[in-house]
Amino acid sequence: MARGGAWAAAAAVWWMVTGAGAVWLEIAPSGTKCVSEEIQSNVVVIGDYSVLYEHHHAHPTIAVKESLFQVTSPFGDIVHKKEKVSMEQFAFTTAEAGNYLACFSIDGEDRGLAVKLNLDWKVGIATRDWNSVAKKEKIEGVELELLKLEVAVQSIQDNLLLLKSKEANMRDVSEKTNSRVTWLSMLSLSVCIAVSVSQLWHLQQYFRKKKLI
């Protein structure tokens, strides 16, 4: 493979795996905003965030009573929490797979206050220090890019296996649901038939007592 082709392939796969980047969130003076990321278990997560306070008044006065940034696991466990936020970093290894939620809340008195949060978190292979890897393995250039490509492909394969597992679970749930719906439909039909037969029998008895038939 030519050098240009190797770089292009590595860049394409790298972008697919680590497409998430920094996000800017604008929060009301008294409000909360959250972002979530679905992450597998045993994955390293590294992030940093900073808060920018702006004013719409000519003579601004900061009036923030309380601010809080925290990251919670799919089971609601707090993996990172920081009060009176200005600039901070966090790192953790996921204990379970699912949606990890990062929320920033602020309690401010000044309605002219505009609060912006810059959040940048990296997941999995995006957290690797490739300069250290290159020095340790004594590789550079195309070899380093091929190593990145190999790791990226492995990550994609793991994600595909996870999706396959989820699809199988969803298929099992769907089949069980369809089976239960079928039995419920048969039971409902049986009950309707039984009620109809019972009503017909009672009507026949009534007409015979009245000597109408």
Side-chain angles (χ1 to χ4, degrees):
M1 180 184 293
R3 172 173 295 193
W7 276 77
V13 177
W14 187 260
W15 174 256
M16 287 189 292
V17 178
T18 63
V23 295
W24 278 97
L25 300 177
E26 186 167 348
I27 303 100
S30 293
T32 300
K33 279 197 176 180
C34 302
V35 293
S36 65
E37 180 83 11
E38 185 173 1
I39 310 174
Q40 299 182 38
S41 60
N42 298 320
V43 173
V44 176
V45 179
I46 297 176
D48 59 78
Y49 55 93
S50 58
V51 181
L52 177 64
Y53 299 98
E54 296 179 346
H55 294 269
H56 298 154
H57 301 320
H59 303 286
T61 57
I62 295 179
V64 177
K65 293 189 292 185
E66 183 180 354
S67 61
L68 174 67
F69 180 86
Q70 69 177 28
V71 182
T72 55
S73 72
F75 294 156
D77 299 326
I78 298 176
V79 296
H80 174 78
K81 182 177 180 180
K82 179 69 175 180
E83 297 180 355
K84 298 181 179 179
V85 179
S86 58
M87 183 180 295
E88 192 69 30
Q89 294 180 337
F90 62 88
F92 61 91
T93 301
T94 57
E96 62 270 346
N99 282 319
Y100 283 77
L101 196 64
C103 293
F104 176 76
S105 59
I106 184 170
D107 184 8
E109 297 176 343
D110 188 355
R111 293 187 176 275
L113 180 66
V115 183
K116 294 183 179 180
L117 172 71
N118 176 253
L119 173 62
D120 181 16
W121 63 1
K122 300 176 181 179
V123 180
I125 61 174
T127 63
R128 292 198 177 188
D129 185 355
W130 290 107
N131 290 330
S132 299
V133 172
K135 291 179 180 179
K136 182 178 179 180
E137 300 293 334
K138 297 181 180 179
I139 57 177
E140 60 181 8
V142 175
E143 289 182 331
L144 179 59
E145 295 304 321
L146 289 176
L147 178 60
K148 292 181 182 180
L149 179 61
E150 180 182 358
V151 174
V153 169
Q154 183 62 47
S155 179
I156 292 176
Q157 183 179 9
D158 293 340
N159 289 331
L160 289 176
L161 291 175
L162 178 62
L163 291 175
K164 183 178 180 181
S165 175
K166 289 184 176 181
E167 189 274 335
N169 292 334
M170 291 181 64
R171 186 174 63 251
D172 292 341
V173 171
S174 178
E175 290 177 354
K176 289 180 180 178
T177 302
N178 291 337
S179 178
R180 291 175 180 175
V181 169
T182 301
W183 280 105
L184 181 60
S185 300
M186 295 177 63
L187 179 60
S188 300
L189 181 61
S190 300
V191 171
C192 290
I193 293 174
V195 170
S196 299
V197 172
S198 176
Q199 288 178 341
L200 181 60
W201 183 80
H202 282 291
L203 286 173
Q204 287 178 343
Q205 295 298 317
Y206 174 77
F207 289 140
R208 284 175 180 172
K209 285 184 180 181
K210 297 296 182 178
K211 296 182 179 180
L212 297 176
I213 57 175

